[in-house]
């Protein structure tokens, strides 16, 4: 674990559809090497004091979160802890009542998912958020279609280019789907998840958020998704992954945050052996431990 | 035999789409035999085309409305009302045709945007919002024709849209008595179809499972070529293409282009497939809802123009039940009520299936009550077929 691996940050992806040459970087992303090495770097995302309510339900009560460059951050917590809500705040789907978002140190405001996508923040939603009636290429490029010609308000798509680029993307991520012309409704759960992830990485994504990417998958498919996470990290992305499966978090994350009842209760590196790790995390999840209890209570007193 | 096996598999995969063509084929052949060829006569085919036109344009718009998971019940009386507005504009306000048509189309877009506003902005279910439209436009139609009753339209240019034919290219000696322009257009249509099919097949090569076996592919090309060629020949032997046919062709080409080739079309289907996903991808579901209802309003106006022109007048009952015919045509043509599925060409075929049925039954002198029951059966069968084939997938 003491081994540090230098992984060059690769700007890549399809910048304006010009594909970067495939680098042999994949090869360094071996299992276990990048794992658990705490990435040192500046914050790519910082959330401060995020508050979000739904009617009487206070889903988030002043949560702070920092994601560093090229880091995989695990986000865990019991059902209804506020994990998805926090990530939807970061992806622009929800607007918090209170709190600030900083991207690369600059204060930002997201009014819609498009705003966040423009700043390189992509989210893979829990239910995949794919249009099942469209094919793989159409889903990968949904909302950002390649345009061939603009006839006044009518934009004519460049289907050929989208298909070629989508295929390249699948190859790069080693996703096994026979054709990008297949409709998503004909894919397996694992393949759909792969398409959703591919879609999130198609455009220069700085940050990729995955909400329960392994929840609905078979064991074999889970392994593939976790490989995908490692690959993305090796390619230079910063990733936040939500999961109920602690071993998934353990296998891919550098650091882990635990939420409980809309508050952050733990923020620690992922280390030690899996049993010790699991015991520690469960203690946080069920409320037996709380590293920020004092502060959270103090903040609440201040508010009142 | 592997060809037949392969063909069967392919047929099963696309049964929804082929089913419609087969139904149309059976109807045409069946009625032609039953009526001793009267059904397939030039006169009847031209009539059929002109009668289907005003429903077909509605069905095209309705396809998109249903694809985005809504419905528009107001289109029938909106069509009737706007037809009356066109008549009044020409008769009472002395507007020329060239001003009347854009005016009415513009009003149609406004009416559609109003429905869009109620559905997208006020979040009223489309069924209710457009039911209000149904009532409102019915009232408006009665008000506008109350003073005069039926409004006779004296303008020949306007009336030609529903009754006239495209003039032929003058001075061609060969094949006298045949409409040359129609033949040329039909020929170009077939060539275009063949070229695009062959190109599409070449592009698909390599994706084994998706491609028709060669024999089936050739069969399909021959079938469509024969169909288009036959219709072209029949029309060319009479007075050529009617203006209504030209209008419908233009609408189909424009909408086919928009739905398959443009970002707008892609987004319409995405919204139909998964509205939440579309919204999270940065697509504005509201804006698309406005666009789709706006287009529906414009096509309602066009339908009103076609119908008024065909009758050479605006009547109190114009547009009655058009909405149901359009919705039926869309469902027969393979649109799914679940949203996200349906092609404009399918709905056009659906419209022809339904009106061929009516026309054929009329020619056979069948009691109108039984006609309704037969059409009901066909509609139900189409939807049951659709649901059943979808489930099996
Ligand atoms: N759109 C919403 N409307 C109302 N309540 C919501 C909504 N989204 C989340 N909540 C509530 O907020 C709390 C946190 O939910 P969520 O962030 O989905 O939890 P998690 O992803 O950790 O399971 C829950 O009590 C949930 O019921
Ligand atoms: Mg969740």
């Amino acid at each position: 674990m003491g081994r540090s691996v230098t992984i060059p940050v690769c700007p890549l992806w399809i910048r304006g559809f010009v594909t970067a040459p495939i680098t042999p970087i994949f090869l360094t992303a071996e299992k276990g090497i990048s794992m658990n090495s705490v990435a040192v770097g500046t914050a790519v995302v910082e959330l401060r004091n995020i508050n979000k309510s739904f009617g009487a339900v206070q889903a988030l009560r002043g949560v702070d979160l920092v994601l560093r460059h090229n880091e995989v951050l695990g986000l865990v917590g019991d059902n209804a802890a506020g994990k998805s809500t926090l990530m939807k705040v970061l992806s622009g789907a929800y607007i918090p009542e209170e709190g600030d978002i900083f991207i690369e140190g600059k204060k930002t405001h997201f009014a819609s998912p498009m705003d966040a996508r423009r700043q390189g923040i992509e989210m893979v939603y829990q239910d995949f958020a794919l249009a099942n009636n469209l094919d793989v290429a159409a889903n990968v490029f949904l909302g950002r279609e390649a345009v061939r010609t603009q006839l006044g308000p009518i934009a004519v798509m460049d289907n050929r280019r989208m298909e070629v680029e989508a295929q390249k993307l699948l190859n790069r991520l080693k996703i096994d789907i026979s054709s990008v012309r297949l409709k998503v409704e004909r894919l397996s759960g694992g393949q759909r998840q792969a398409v959703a992830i591919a879609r999130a990485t198609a455009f220069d994504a700085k940050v990729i958020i995955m909400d329960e990417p392994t929840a609905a998958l078979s064991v074999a498919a889970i392994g593939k998704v976790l490989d995908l996470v490692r690959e993305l990290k090796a390619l230079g992305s910063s990733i936040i992954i939500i999961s109920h499966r602690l071993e998934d978090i353990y296998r891919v994350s550098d650091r882990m945050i635990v939420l409980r009842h809309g508050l952050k209760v733990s923020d620690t590196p992922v280390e030690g052996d899996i049993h010790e790790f699991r015991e520690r995390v469960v203690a946080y999840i069920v409320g037996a431990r709380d590293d920020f209890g004092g502060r959270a209570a103090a903040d609440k007193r201040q508010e009142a | 035999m592997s060809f037949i096996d392969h063909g069967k598999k392919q047929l099963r995969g696309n049964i929804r789409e082929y089913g419609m063509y087969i139904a149309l084929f059976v109807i045409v052949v069946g009625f032609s035999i039953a009526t001793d060829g009267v059904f397939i006569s030039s006169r009847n085919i031209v009539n059929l085309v002109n009668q289907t036109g005003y429903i077909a344009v509605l069905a095209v718009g309705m396809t998109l409305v249903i694809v985005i998971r809504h419905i528009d019940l107001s289109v029938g009386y909106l069509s009737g009302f706007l037809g009356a507005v066109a008549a009044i504009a020409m008769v009472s306000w002395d507007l020329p045709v060239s001003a009347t048509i854009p005016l009415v189309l513009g009003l149609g877009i406004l009416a559609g945007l109003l429905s869009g506003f109620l559905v997208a902005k006020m979040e009223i279910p489309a069924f209710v919002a457009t039911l209000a439209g149904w009532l409102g436009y019915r009232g408006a139609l009665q008000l506008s024709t109350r003073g005069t009753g039926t409004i006779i339209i004296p303008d020949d240019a306007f009336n030609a849209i529903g009754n006239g034919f495209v003039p032929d290219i003058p001075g061609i000696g060969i094949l006298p008595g045949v409409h040359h322009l129609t033949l040329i257009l039909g020929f170009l249509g077939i060539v275009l179809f063949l070229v695009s099919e062959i190109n599409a097949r070449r592009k698909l090569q390599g994706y084994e499972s998706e491609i028709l076996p060669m024999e089936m592919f050739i069969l399909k090309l021959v079938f469509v070529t024969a169909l288009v060629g036959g219709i072209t020949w029949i029309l060319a032997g009479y007075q050529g293409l009617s203006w209504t046919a030209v209008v419908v062709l233009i609408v189909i080409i424009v909408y086919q282009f928009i739905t398959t080739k443009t970002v707008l079309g892609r987004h319409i289907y995405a919204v139909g497939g998964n509205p939440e996903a579309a919204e999270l991808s940065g697509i504005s579901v509201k804006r698309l809802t406005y666009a789709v209802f706006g287009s529906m309003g414009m096509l309602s106006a066009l339908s009103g123009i076609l119908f008024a022109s065909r009758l050479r007048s605006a009547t109190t009952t114009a547009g009655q039940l058009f909405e149901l015919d359009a919705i039926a045509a869309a469902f027969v043509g393979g649109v799914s009520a679940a949203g996200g599925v349906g092609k404009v060409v399918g709905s056009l075929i659906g419209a022809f299936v339904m009106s061929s049925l009516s026309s054929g039954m009329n020619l056979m002198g069948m009691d109108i009550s039984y006609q309704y029951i037969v059409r009901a059966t066909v509609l139900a069968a189409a939807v049951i077929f659709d649901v059943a084939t979808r489930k099996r997938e």
Side-chain angles (χ1 to χ4, degrees):
Chain A
M1 214 209 315
R3 267 213 286 166
S4 78
V5 186
T6 38
I7 295 164
V9 177
C10 174
L12 73 127
W13 294 128
I14 308 165
R15 285 220 174 150
F17 301 109
V18 182
T19 337
I22 298 183
T23 56
I25 266 173
F26 293 149
L27 303 177
T28 66
E30 278 166 31
K31 247 187 177 175
I33 292 185
S34 65
M35 185 174 85
N36 297 358
S37 63
V38 177
V40 273
T42 48
V44 58
V45 167
E46 189 176 352
L47 301 177
R48 277 194 209 147
N49 190 33
I50 302 292
N51 282 274
K52 174 76 191 169
S53 307
F54 299 100
V57 180
Q58 271 192 294
L60 297 173
R61 300 186 283 167
V63 177
D64 299 333
L65 176 148
V66 172
L67 175 69
R68 300 195 190 94
H69 274 289
N70 202 215
E71 178 184 42
V72 178
L73 173 63
L75 187 57
V76 298
D78 209 349
N79 269 329
K83 307 179 295 292
S84 296
T85 306
L86 184 63
M87 289 303 103
K88 284 183 176 172
V89 165
L90 179 54
S91 79
Y94 291 156
I95 299 169
E97 282 100 45
E98 212 182 306
D100 298 315
I101 302 173
F102 298 85
I103 306 298
E104 312 260 23
K106 272 208 310 223
K107 194 170 161 179
T108 326
H109 176 80
F110 294 146
S112 73
M114 210 53 197
D115 285 356
R117 292 184 94 179
R118 276 198 206 101
Q119 297 233 23
I121 298 185
E122 291 282 346
M123 180 152 171
V124 180
Y125 293 91
Q126 195 161 356
D127 46 9
F128 308 162
L130 299 172
N132 291 337
N133 58 331
L134 300 181
D135 66 20
V136 171
N139 269 285
V140 166
F141 283 87
L142 194 58
R144 288 178 301 200
E145 288 77 7
V147 171
R148 194 171 49 187
T149 28
Q150 187 83 33
L151 308 167
I154 301 292
V156 183
M157 293 184 294
D158 192 340
N159 272 320
R160 188 62 172 259
R161 190 147 101 189
M162 289 193 280
E163 280 168 12
V164 170
E165 295 299 342
Q167 189 61 57
K168 277 188 196 161
L169 188 62
L170 296 190
N171 294 345
R172 195 188 292 257
L173 295 174
K174 300 172 185 157
I175 295 169
D176 184 25
I177 292 175
S178 64
S179 159
V180 293
R181 288 218 183 102
L182 277 179
K183 282 193 179 166
V184 168
E185 64 195 358
R186 289 171 59 182
L187 302 181
S188 71
Q191 287 176 318
R192 285 181 204 199
Q193 187 60 269
V195 171
I197 293 172
R199 186 175 124 69
T201 60
F203 295 83
D204 242 353
K206 270 199 289 241
V207 176
I208 299 157
I209 307 163
M210 302 183 191
D211 195 347
E212 305 268 8
T214 55
L217 304 185
S218 67
V219 175
I222 288 173
K224 285 211 172 126
V225 168
L226 296 183
D227 286 346
L228 211 49
V229 173
R230 291 195 195 95
E231 206 122 284
L232 289 171
K233 177 183 159 111
L235 291 165
S237 296
S238 313
I239 297 156
I240 303 179
I241 177 168
I242 300 179
S243 182
H244 272 110
R245 295 169 40 92
L246 296 181
E247 62 267 40
D248 294 353
I249 299 286
Y250 179 80
R251 280 162 71 188
V252 296
S253 308
D254 303 309
R255 197 157 56 86
M256 177 203 58
I257 285 180
V258 184
L259 290 186
R260 185 174 151 75
H261 297 332
L263 288 168
K264 183 162 84 171
V265 295
S266 167
D267 187 341
T268 51
V270 173
E271 52 194 9
D273 75 88
I274 176 108
H275 300 289
E276 184 196 322
F277 170 79
R278 185 194 296 277
E279 228 163 84
R280 188 158 52 90
V281 177
V282 170
Y284 285 115
I285 291 176
V286 300
R289 286 177 73 171
D290 182 351
D291 294 350
F292 297 89
R295 221 197 75 197
D299 284 354
K300 274 182 82 183
R301 246 176 280 127
Q302 208 173 8
E303 260 177 52
Chain B
M1 279 201 64
S2 84
F3 161 54
I4 295 199
D5 280 353
H6 207 129
K8 266 189 192 157
K9 205 173 124 208
Q10 192 64 39
L11 200 65
R12 214 173 295 134
N14 295 297
I15 193 83
R16 236 175 293 152
E17 212 172 325
Y18 293 142
M20 197 166 68
Y21 289 97
I22 294 167
L24 184 60
F25 183 75
V26 168
I27 288 169
V28 170
V29 171
F31 280 125
S32 299
I33 294 168
T35 60
D36 282 333
V38 178
F39 181 84
I40 200 79
S41 68
S42 306
R43 230 187 116 78
N44 194 52
I45 293 296
V46 167
N47 255 327
L48 190 64
V49 169
N50 287 359
Q51 255 166 39
T52 311
Y54 49 84
I55 298 300
V57 295
L58 288 179
V60 167
M62 193 64 77
T63 305
L64 301 190
V65 173
I66 300 174
V67 161
I68 63 163
R69 305 184 175 192
H70 291 302
I71 194 80
D72 193 340
L73 299 177
S74 70
V75 299
Y77 282 118
L78 177 60
S79 153
F81 170 57
L82 291 175
V85 171
I88 292 169
M90 286 179 289
V91 174
S92 307
W93 308 338
D94 278 331
L95 284 184
V97 184
S98 55
T100 301
I101 291 176
L103 170 77
V104 170
L105 292 178
L107 286 176
I109 292 174
L110 284 181
L113 291 178
L114 177 62
S115 303
F117 171 78
L118 293 176
V119 173
K121 187 85 179 172
M122 308 305 289
E123 297 181 6
I124 299 173
F127 187 87
V128 179
T130 60
L131 187 59
W134 186 93
L135 287 166
Y137 298 130
R138 183 175 197 179
L141 171 61
Q142 288 185 356
L143 272 181
S144 50
T145 50
R146 185 158 66 185
T148 47
T150 297
I151 307 169
I152 305 289
I153 300 171
D155 193 301
D156 286 338
F158 184 84
N159 290 336
I161 303 171
N163 301 288
F165 294 86
V166 178
D168 199 3
I169 311 165
I172 296 183
I174 45 168
L175 289 173
V178 173
H179 199 272
H180 301 96
L181 183 61
T182 304
L183 276 189
I184 292 168
L185 286 176
F187 181 73
L188 285 180
I190 290 173
V191 170
L192 214 67
F193 168 77
L194 292 178
V195 168
S196 81
E197 281 292 311
I198 290 168
N199 272 340
R201 184 182 167 87
R202 196 172 297 150
K203 258 174 70 184
L204 265 179
Q205 215 95 44
Y207 304 124
E208 282 295 333
S209 64
E210 316 248 308
I211 201 162
L212 275 176
M214 197 58 180
E215 298 88 339
M216 289 278 289
F217 180 66
I218 290 172
L219 205 67
K220 176 181 167 188
L221 295 190
V222 169
F223 179 77
V224 174
T225 302
L227 191 78
V228 176
I231 291 174
T232 302
W233 186 251
I234 289 172
L235 293 179
Y238 190 53
Q239 297 185 57
L241 273 186
S242 64
W243 283 114
T244 299
V246 172
V247 169
V248 171
L249 275 178
I250 291 172
V251 167
I252 285 292
I253 289 168
V254 168
Y255 274 77
Q256 174 71 10
F257 178 76
I258 288 176
T259 51
T260 58
K261 300 276 185 252
T262 69
V263 172
L264 176 65
R266 170 72 48 89
H267 288 183
I268 287 173
Y269 284 86
V271 166
N274 188 343
E276 293 82 23
E279 192 77 53
L280 290 172
S281 310
I283 297 170
S284 167
V285 176
K286 277 199 175 111
R287 256 185 33 212
L288 275 174
T289 307
Y290 275 110
V292 168
F293 275 96
S295 112
M296 185 75 257
M298 184 191 70
L299 292 173
S300 304
L302 186 59
S303 163
I305 290 168
L306 288 173
F307 189 67
S309 159
R310 183 161 170 75
L311 295 190
R312 298 185 168 88
S313 61
T315 66
T316 334
T317 56
Q320 205 164 27
L321 293 183
F322 283 13
E323 67 281 347
L324 296 186
D325 283 339
I327 293 167
F331 281 123
V332 169
V335 174
S336 161
V341 177
K343 296 176 178 167
V344 294
V345 175
S347 297
L348 174 76
I349 303 291
F352 273 103
V353 165
M354 293 310 266
S355 63
S356 303
L357 265 182
S358 299
S359 161
M361 291 188 294
N362 275 334
L363 286 178
M364 290 175 65
M366 192 189 275
D367 185 331
I368 189 84
S369 321
Y370 290 119
Q371 289 195 21
Y372 278 122
I373 294 171
V374 170
R375 289 169 65 197
T377 311
V378 169
L379 173 60
V383 177
I384 290 167
F385 193 56
D386 186 58
V387 171
T389 49
R390 210 175 290 280
K391 259 199 204 125
R392 206 181 310 143
E393 267 170 16

